[in-house]
Amino acid sequence: MKTLIKNGTVVNSTGTASADVLIDGETIAAVLAPGSHLLGFDIEKNVDTVIDATGKYVIPGGVDAHTHMEMPFGGTNASDTFETGTRAAAWGGTTSIVDFVVQYPDQNVLDQYHAWHEKAAGNCAIDYGFHQILSDVQDSSLVAMDELIKEGVSSFKLFMAYKGVFLSDDGQILRAFQKGAQNGALMMMHAENGAVIDVLVKQAIEAGNTSPYYHGLTRPWQAEEEATHRAIMIANLTGAPLYVVHVSAKQAVEQIAHARDLGQNVFGETCPQYLYLSLEEQLGAPGFEGAKWVCSTPLRSRAEGHQHHMWQALRTNDIQMVSTDHCPFCMKGQKDMGIGDFSKIPNGIGSVEHRMDLLYQGVVEGNISLERWVEVTSTTPSRMFGMYGKKGVIQPGADADVVVYNPNGHTSIGLNKTHHMNMDYSAWEGFEIDGHVDTVLSRGKVIVDGDEYVGAKGDGKYFKRGLSQYLI
């Protein structure tokens, strides 16, 4: 099966060019000057499908490196399955995800890894890989890290919060980081001071401050900054590379930037919610409405300038990429578990469908460049997590994960508009995007065509990742 995408503007992280893209099977075969001939053959007459991208951008498919499909958490499970979540991702121009295998205390790491393969296999609309969460770091966990790298799982996440659920103490973190320094793994950190947060939450509930707004107030930026600094110091001590997930506070960004200025392999991601949403407007919504936006790290105060600083950090590469931390829950039967006690609200926001659009709106509004849009949503995630060359770039030999994006189109986000995630509300209700995902190809197969999903369950394959390609 040969496909020609003609007359488009190809956008890579390194620049743009008017070009045609020839796809042979699952792979990009050539990137050519518009109307080129190969060995005297008229290419257009010798392919099976022609996609006219006149006036449109041709970009590498999005790579969302932080999702939680079917994640068990807080007495329930994330509402998106691998089937529904990856289909929604495809609708939004994301063609690869890296999901988290969950290991709770006393669970066997390798058993959990195999359980996640069983959940995902044959169900995904797009390609997928795995990170591994480590909770109670035991000798067996360290052995498992070596085994998982052979399986293409080259990144491991630890938590400084959620006592009794995920939290690892500093000694356990040290041991895992030492192993990461030995085997080349990228160590990931949920950086919040859990002990401080637990006291603040208890005090708030006892004082009768139970609304979702207090979720934000009891997870202050100081708890994020301190934990980020502590993780950086442990990484510095061990020599392990560190990737800080879902950075929301400008003070945490400053810690990452300082470490990078000193030459340390420290990286950070942010998420769309920390670029657009706020403590005052969303968590502070009337009644229980703020529960829709309860996530951790929490939304930050717009008055304190966190959102502005996060856009700036993306421009200066103090923050390297944007993922979603997609962990959706419905209001009815899930988020409403926390009525009268915000600490019982399942933490998570659904965004996997909208990340590419939301970041493109940043281009429209002058917050980032067109090339930087591709870089933070596709190229850097691919490099960071050992997929680059096959993912994250329009070039010969790469997987034909391609999005035709229409800058003259329009996307209205809302539950009864473009919403395909398995949720009973949209965290992005009412957002208007000056652009539209027109066509999505996953390894050469068209899976979204205009306003129609034409892919199938099982189109996606497991991607065996290598070590990070982003280290300095």
Side-chain angles (χ1 to χ4, degrees):
M1 181 77 174
K2 291 183 173 65
T3 301
L4 179 68
I5 304 174
K6 69 174 187 177
N7 300 328
T9 299
V10 171
V11 185
N12 280 310
S13 63
T14 51
T16 64
S18 297
D20 294 346
V21 178
L22 177 63
I23 296 167
D24 188 355
E26 297 188 347
T27 305
I28 295 173
V31 180
L32 306 156
S36 295
H37 289 63
L38 281 178
L39 301 176
F41 288 99
D42 184 331
I43 300 171
E44 187 169 342
K45 292 181 179 179
N46 288 276
V47 298
D48 303 285
T49 304
V50 176
I51 298 170
D52 189 352
T54 300
K56 302 175 184 179
Y57 300 129
V58 180
I59 65 171
V63 178
D64 190 345
H66 188 154
T67 67
H68 297 283
M69 306 301 177
E70 303 182 35
M71 179 181 177
F73 185 81
T76 186
N77 290 279
S79 55
D80 263 323
T81 63
F82 278 95
E83 180 180 0
T84 64
T86 57
R87 186 170 61 234
W91 272 105
T94 287
T95 55
S96 299
I97 63 167
V98 189
D99 202 79
F100 283 87
V101 176
V102 175
Q103 181 241 346
Y104 289 112
D106 300 323
Q107 290 181 329
N108 180 275
V109 173
L110 293 177
D111 286 349
Q112 292 303 104
Y113 166 69
H114 292 302
W116 251 251
H117 266 296
E118 291 177 8
K119 290 183 182 186
N123 291 315
C124 293
I126 58 176
D127 289 355
Y128 61 96
F130 291 130
H131 310 288
Q132 176 71 54
I133 289 174
L134 303 176
S135 55
D136 58 334
V137 179
Q138 307 293 334
D139 290 344
S140 60
S141 310
L142 304 179
V143 172
M145 288 175 69
D146 288 334
E147 292 298 314
L148 287 170
I149 284 181
K150 298 174 187 175
E151 295 288 321
V153 179
S154 55
S155 40
F156 299 86
K157 182 182 178 185
L158 294 101
F159 287 75
M160 290 175 159
Y162 300 117
K163 184 177 181 180
V165 181
F166 287 129
L167 183 142
S168 296
D169 64 37
D170 289 352
Q172 291 173 318
I173 293 169
L174 175 73
R175 295 187 71 203
F177 275 42
Q178 287 172 332
K179 174 58 75 171
Q182 292 170 9
N183 64 19
L186 182 60
M187 306 308 296
M188 310 173 76
M189 184 59 70
H190 178 120
E192 291 186 290
N193 187 314
V196 166
I197 289 167
D198 289 347
V199 171
L200 293 175
V201 168
K202 184 173 184 292
Q203 291 173 342
I205 298 296
E206 289 175 348
N209 297 320
T210 61
S211 73
Y213 181 68
Y214 288 92
H215 172 78
L217 295 188
T218 56
R219 304 184 91 96
W221 63 259
Q222 291 92 338
E224 184 180 351
E225 181 186 20
E226 184 279 329
T228 301
H229 176 74
R230 185 159 31 108
I232 289 169
M233 290 298 98
I234 296 173
N236 183 278
L237 175 63
T238 60
L242 170 66
Y243 179 92
V244 184
V245 298
H246 50 53
V247 179
S248 64
K250 63 183 182 181
Q251 294 86 354
V253 174
E254 290 165 357
Q255 292 291 329
I256 293 167
H258 178 66
R260 289 175 56 77
D261 287 345
L262 296 175
Q264 193 173 342
N265 271 311
V266 176
F267 315 103
E269 71 172 20
T270 194
C271 307
Q273 53 265 35
Y274 308 125
L275 296 168
Y276 285 105
L277 310 180
S278 75
L279 171 71
E280 298 93 342
E281 296 156 302
Q282 276 74 38
L283 281 178
F288 192 65
E289 281 296 292
K292 294 176 178 178
W293 299 282
V294 165
C295 61
S296 297
T297 54
L299 304 183
R300 299 295 179 192
S301 168
R302 193 176 302 281
E304 294 177 359
H306 295 279
Q307 295 79 5
H308 172 80
H309 192 91
M310 214 60 65
W311 280 114
Q312 176 179 301
L314 281 179
R315 288 193 297 274
T316 61
N317 207 41
D318 289 334
I319 291 292
Q320 287 67 51
M321 52 184 271
V322 179
S323 304
T324 58
D325 191 11
H326 178 77
C327 193
F329 298 98
C330 293
M331 282 291 280
K332 185 175 181 180
Q334 292 189 304
K335 292 278 189 177
D336 60 9
M337 294 163 60
I339 294 175
D341 183 349
F342 68 85
S343 68
K344 292 183 170 59
I345 301 170
N347 286 205
I349 289 178
S351 301
V352 75
E353 183 175 353
H354 305 309
R355 181 184 63 121
M356 298 298 289
D357 281 327
L358 290 167
L359 268 293
Y360 180 74
Q361 193 62 26
V363 176
V364 173
E365 295 174 2
N367 287 310
I368 55 174
S369 70
L370 189 62
E371 294 83 359
R372 185 65 174 158
W373 170 50
V374 169
E375 188 170 16
V376 301
T377 59
S378 182
T379 307
T380 295
S382 298
R383 290 182 61 200
M384 190 72 71
F385 294 108
M387 298 183 285
Y388 185 72
K390 298 300 288 183
K391 310 294 185 185
V393 64
I394 303 290
Q395 69 179 20
D399 286 349
D401 296 347
V402 182
V403 174
V404 178
Y405 196 88
N406 186 359
N408 298 309
H410 188 83
T411 303
S412 297
I413 301 177
L415 186 61
N416 297 314
K417 297 175 182 176
T418 55
H419 186 92
H420 299 93
M421 296 174 289
N422 189 30
M423 302 169 65
D424 60 2
Y425 76 97
S426 172
W428 302 98
E429 189 72 42
F431 272 67
E432 301 291 336
I433 307 299
D434 295 313
H436 186 268
V437 173
D438 277 6
T439 309
V440 180
L441 295 89
S442 173
R443 280 181 288 101
K445 177 182 178 180
V446 174
I447 58 174
V448 174
D449 185 10
D451 292 321
E452 184 179 2
Y453 176 73
V454 293
K457 172 182 173 180
D459 280 342
K461 294 181 180 178
Y462 175 67
F463 192 96
K464 189 172 181 178
R465 298 185 294 113
L467 300 180
S468 177
Q469 298 156 292
Y470 204 83
L471 304 188
I472 55 176

